[in-house]
Amino acid sequence: MDAERAHKIGFKGIRLVHSVGAGRLLERFTAPPASLQTAALGLTFPSPFGLAAGFDKEGHGIEALTELGFGHVEVGTITGQAQPGNEKPRLFRLIEDRAVINRMGFNNDGASAVAPRLKAARAALQRRHANVRPVIGVNIGKTKVVELEDAVEDYLISARGLAPAADYLVVNVSSPNTPGLRLLQNVETLRPLLKAVGEEADKSAGRHVPLLVKIAPDLTDEDIDDVARLAMDLGLDGIIATNTTISRDGLDSATEKVEACGAGGLSGAPLKNRSLEVLRRLKSVTQDRLTLISVGGVETGQDVQDRLDAGATLVQGYTAFLYEGPFWAARINKELARNRRKTR
Ligand code: FMN
């Protein structure tokens, strides 16, 4: 089956379980143990492990996904205007590599349509979880038809509309599937963008909304250092590393198969080493001044623990969810809790 169709059906199934009320029963087995509670970004997360952006792009299944054990769900990427994304097919599995290639292109129904969904999900989570509730991150990006020089205003539309419903906000400048987007990672363009988004988010929410920037694994080490210094200079709350890669190095899948996928970002197991490397680099520059969220190639509880040991406060995953199925987050939480008991 086409990978995007399989994703749609799987996600519908997860939402169905929630809508018939079975998610609450499920939670008896999937809820993260209290020992995993993690303080970060001025919030308490039920687990350090969460779902990365791109799975629930439009906030249709936040509650349902948290019932599977994710400590946070990062919704998005959401753009200022609704857009259809790239032509299908645009999502491809590389099973031998436990990887996927995608060129979705930020398909989403735009900030104004997503905002009420986020508000409703936030209120529902607040009602259900008396103390520590799962966290909602909101990841924003640039509308494709908006010129790069008008990017700031486009991000501001999203920040204005979405920050009031966000526990934290992420400026995504690292997807390879919107032409020119990654040029915004350049510090000269990134500085005014992050500054303006941060101010707008706090103003429209009437509180401080933690702000992070999400970076690509394909940046040079010097560029990583520059972004890290900029983030500290601007008083940002954190950095998410990393997005998908445009590299095709080290794959086991047949070259013809990889080439047949065409352009797009590669994610999953082949990203593991580079993602960890970027995390270590960020940690060495930022020390304890920023919250680092590590993402890329995480498959097991041990992978999550490795990221925490290397300086991440939170960890996310996406691609392995497609391979491991709905109980993946619960398994990771169990493994993390078991390791903690052993090392205590
Ligand atoms: N990252 C974003 O910041 N915004 C997106 O809209 C987005 N869409 C994605 C769609 C697909 C199908 C996949 C596989 C990834 C997407 N990502 C997006 C990147 C993930 O959030 C994550 O950074 C990346 O996949 C590496 O993690 P993983 O190896 O655990 O998948």
Side-chain angles (χ1 to χ4, degrees):
M1 193 192 285
D2 167 67
E4 186 172 348
R5 213 168 110 74
H7 165 72
K8 269 205 175 120
I9 293 171
F11 192 19
K12 263 203 181 127
I14 290 168
R15 282 171 3 224
L16 182 69
V17 170
H18 167 72
S19 64
V20 299
R24 305 197 75 145
L25 292 176
L26 208 62
E27 264 182 332
R28 289 196 198 154
F29 308 98
T30 58
S35 62
L36 294 186
Q37 286 181 9
T38 302
L41 304 170
L43 305 160
T44 305
F45 291 65
S47 159
F49 185 61
L51 183 60
F55 188 94
D56 187 1
K57 283 182 183 274
E58 301 167 306
H60 284 295
I62 299 170
E63 273 186 277
L65 289 162
T66 62
E67 284 167 356
L68 299 180
F70 290 106
H72 69 278
V73 174
E74 190 171 306
V75 174
T77 294
I78 303 156
T79 52
Q81 300 172 31
Q83 58 181 26
N86 290 322
E87 225 171 89
K88 294 174 189 170
R90 53 194 180 177
L91 178 62
F92 308 88
R93 298 185 201 91
L94 295 176
I95 294 169
E96 295 90 331
D97 287 293
R98 303 192 309 287
V100 303
I101 289 176
N102 92 81
R103 56 168 168 281
M104 304 299 287
F106 295 167
N107 53 304
N108 79 107
D109 47 12
S112 60
V114 177
R117 256 173 246 146
L118 297 184
K119 273 188 198 131
R122 199 156 181 263
L125 289 175
Q126 252 153 6
R127 274 194 306 274
R128 266 184 63 185
H129 299 266
N131 299 316
V132 178
R133 66 163 173 84
V135 168
I136 303 178
V138 178
N139 176 310
I140 60 175
K142 185 186 79 69
T143 308
K144 185 177 179 185
V145 296
V146 169
E147 299 293 335
L148 267 191
E149 48 272 29
D150 301 324
V152 174
E153 188 43 47
D154 190 56
Y155 277 90
L156 289 185
I157 293 171
S158 300
R160 205 171 296 138
L162 299 168
D167 292 318
Y168 71 82
L169 195 67
V170 183
V171 171
N172 179 10
V173 280
S174 48
S175 165
N177 301 316
T178 295
L181 186 84
R182 290 172 307 150
L183 293 172
L184 295 173
Q185 291 175 115
N186 198 304
V187 285
E188 285 88 62
T189 39
L190 194 54
R191 178 184 289 274
L193 172 64
L194 293 174
K195 196 166 179 296
V197 168
E199 286 167 3
E200 189 70 29
D202 289 1
K203 195 168 111 199
S204 74
R207 65 184 153 94
H208 174 58
V209 181
L211 183 68
L212 300 93
V213 61
K214 182 166 176 179
I215 63 171
D218 306 315
L219 291 178
T220 63
D221 286 348
E222 292 69 35
D223 289 341
I224 293 169
D225 296 353
D226 284 349
V227 174
R229 283 194 210 102
L230 174 66
M232 290 190 288
D233 197 31
L234 287 175
L236 238 58
D237 295 274
I239 299 178
I240 304 189
T242 68
N243 214 312
T244 57
T245 177
I246 55 170
S247 162
R248 300 292 186 260
D249 291 345
L251 294 177
D252 289 331
S253 304
T255 311
E256 312 82 70
K257 190 173 171 190
V258 176
E259 280 173 359
C261 299
L266 173 76
S267 58
L271 195 53
K272 189 178 297 192
N273 290 342
R274 178 61 186 157
S275 173
L276 187 54
E277 219 171 70
V278 174
L279 169 65
R280 291 205 167 108
R281 182 102 200 170
L282 286 171
K283 188 68 188 174
S284 74
V285 179
T286 63
Q287 303 291 325
D288 289 323
R289 291 184 54 196
L290 293 178
T291 297
L292 301 179
I293 304 185
S294 183
V295 50
V298 166
E299 297 180 291
T300 64
Q302 188 57 54
D303 291 337
V304 174
Q305 192 59 54
D306 290 345
R307 304 300 168 103
L308 298 175
D309 294 344
T313 307
L314 300 166
V315 181
Q316 301 178 331
Y318 179 162
T319 300
F321 190 31
L322 305 178
Y323 287 106
E324 297 285 328
F327 299 111
W328 179 52
R331 274 202 300 275
I332 287 198
N333 285 333
K334 278 217 172 76
E335 205 185 321
L336 278 177
R338 205 169 42 232
N339 281 352
R340 280 186 192 187
R341 277 198 303 274
K342 261 194 243 156
T343 52
R344 225 186 292 137

